[in-house]
Amino acid sequence: MCGIIAYIGSKPAYPILIEGLRRLEYRGYDSAGIALLDNEINIYKKKGKVQELADFTEKVDHSPTIGMGHTRWATHGKPDDVNAHPHPSGNHDLAIIHNGIIENYSSLKEALKKLGHTFTSETDTEVLVHLIEEMQKREHLSLESAVRQALKKVVGAYAIVVMDRKDPNKIIGARKSSPLVIGVGDDEYFIASDASPIIQYTNKVVYLNDEEIAIIDRKNGLEVTTFHNEVQEPVIHEIDMDIEQIEKSGFDHFMLKEIFQQPETIADCMRGRLNAVDGWVKLGGMQEYINRIASTKRIIIAACGTSWHSALIGEYLIEELARIPVEVEYASEFRYRNPILDSHDVVIVISQSGETADTLAAAELAKSHGALVYGIVNVVGSSIARLTHAGSYIHCGPEIGVASTKAFTGQVTLLTLMAIVLGERNGSLTTSYYHELIAELAVIPNKVAKVFESNEKIKYLASEIQQRQNALYLGRGYNFPVALEGALKLKEISYIHAEGYPAAEMKHGPIALIDESMPVIVIATNKSAYEKIVSNIQEVKARKGVVIAIITPEDHEIRNMADYYIEVQSTLEPLTPLLSVIPLQLLSYHIAVSRGCDVDQPRNLAKSVTVE
């Protein structure tokens, strides 16, 4: 969602803020702004890209050494210059930037109006800075005390940074249910919504916990307290990230780079967890709770978006290999439908960022009912990673493209390892099949790399169908969730309407849509139900649909039936999603590029959905 960057130190803040905002563009936004403090707080903000803000501020005074910047993803109020952050207080002594939503902003706004406050924007954020101003004025409080008292009156989720013209050597950060990280340098500090804008300056960070306030003072350094003014000892973490990981490295887009990284990221996910030579799989995060997980009568997996599709594949994997019943839930529905949970349940939550608001809330709900909560995330130190009882990182490195690619295959890889560990523990896998799975999983990265040999063919195919307005994706078994994921990728970045279906369900409605203008992408790598897939393709061809088939090299029957085909290597059926999804990612990418779409920053989307 929105992006935050703030700086206090001895260097000019402006270049750090502008470059930080560029690093945060991947989160999705519609406007950007900065505030610089030098005797007065000077605020500059523009609708549109960060470059427009940079052009607008090119000639302003760049010398102040304290400031903050923000990229906004609109919630309250339309995207424009006025609603962009930062927002000043009524007396212009304060400035604030904010990620999240203030749920009771309307009642607070009406109360403040009665006290004489006037508002210029439609945002909930402006209400908060006026509330802090009122606390200062009414009770003569310090900046941090005014922030603390104001937040006690607020209902919602937020990460904020506040500056005060009258206190130019101090900057305040606070969070509740929205991430905020403090970068610790040499006599300088950074505040950001994630580590990407600060990694070029420091790898030492402090992750704020919920309902904590960071008070950063030039003389006294960093102090962390709770909303109740209880002093906390900040724990400094060293993050394993370098600047190359958040650069395009010669690729036209981050998405393309991340697609091509997948042989390495899948291997990284397995490193230290799978040994094909000695024939073993282990997950350190499961060890303490392995007996409880393996003996449970039910696993619930909660996730959103692409992570929900990986969860569906996890359901297939765990039920087939470990013989444990699995239910997959949209986290956004799970948290509100009063689910039946108890201490015998195991709840797995999946989130690339580890900050997805609904998934985090689902984890909290499950934990409150006594369930064992296991997290699968990518970002080290994220909220879900710290909340759950146990978990595993997918180790894919920063994913900058809004449309998730390498995180999806990382999640599926991790779920595959988990299913194999549980299957071996439960005795539901034969020794021979256990070793066959391990051996085949070890060579999956090489087979993924082989798909890239078809990149030019996929690019040509994309040019042939780029003007179509609809598409249908069909898959069976393990490849049904892949069909959903392929359709989602096309929708996300090319703005073409697409739907994924179990192939057998085509006859129950979608077949009415098929004509010569409808491309139908069929994932046909399954050995089981192969004849059924052939039958589905024949039904599409009989209605003049355009068939694009994902097949294995030995499949001559479907090759001859389809209008177009893309080959992936053969593998064991539980592992097919790791291969069959790759050409779908590439196809969506090339279609989006050919249509002139902004691949890395698709309209209306945010990388991490940290508000409801």
Side-chain angles (χ1 to χ4, degrees), residues 224-267:
V224 176
T225 69
T226 68
F227 285 8
H228 301 289
N229 203 23
E230 299 162 334
V231 176
Q232 306 295 296
E233 184 66 33
V235 178
I236 296 178
H237 301 264
E238 290 195 9
I239 51 176
D240 183 19
M241 184 192 302
D242 59 58
I243 197 69
E244 278 189 21
Q245 291 179 294
I246 54 175
E247 300 285 358
K248 291 179 184 174
S249 305
F251 288 90
D252 290 337
H253 297 92
F254 282 110
M255 182 180 180
L256 187 61
K257 174 190 174 184
E258 288 156 8
I259 291 171
F260 273 79
Q261 280 183 315
Q262 287 173 108
E264 291 77 30
T265 55
I266 292 171

Side-chain angles (χ1 to χ4, degrees), residues 116-136:
H117 291 260
T118 58
F119 299 87
T120 59
S121 79
E122 304 167 277
T123 67
D124 54 340
T125 304
E126 189 185 10
V127 174
L128 180 53
V129 74
H130 277 257
L131 181 60
I132 296 170
E133 175 193 356
E134 183 64 27
M135 291 297 164
Q136 278 191 318

Side-chain angles (χ1 to χ4, degrees), residues 559-579:
R559 181 199 309 260
N560 293 330
M561 294 171 59
D563 296 277
Y564 306 96
Y565 67 88
I566 306 166
E567 292 182 354
V568 299
Q569 298 294 295
S570 297
T571 189
L572 297 173
E573 195 147 321
L575 308 183
T576 54
L578 292 168
L579 299 179

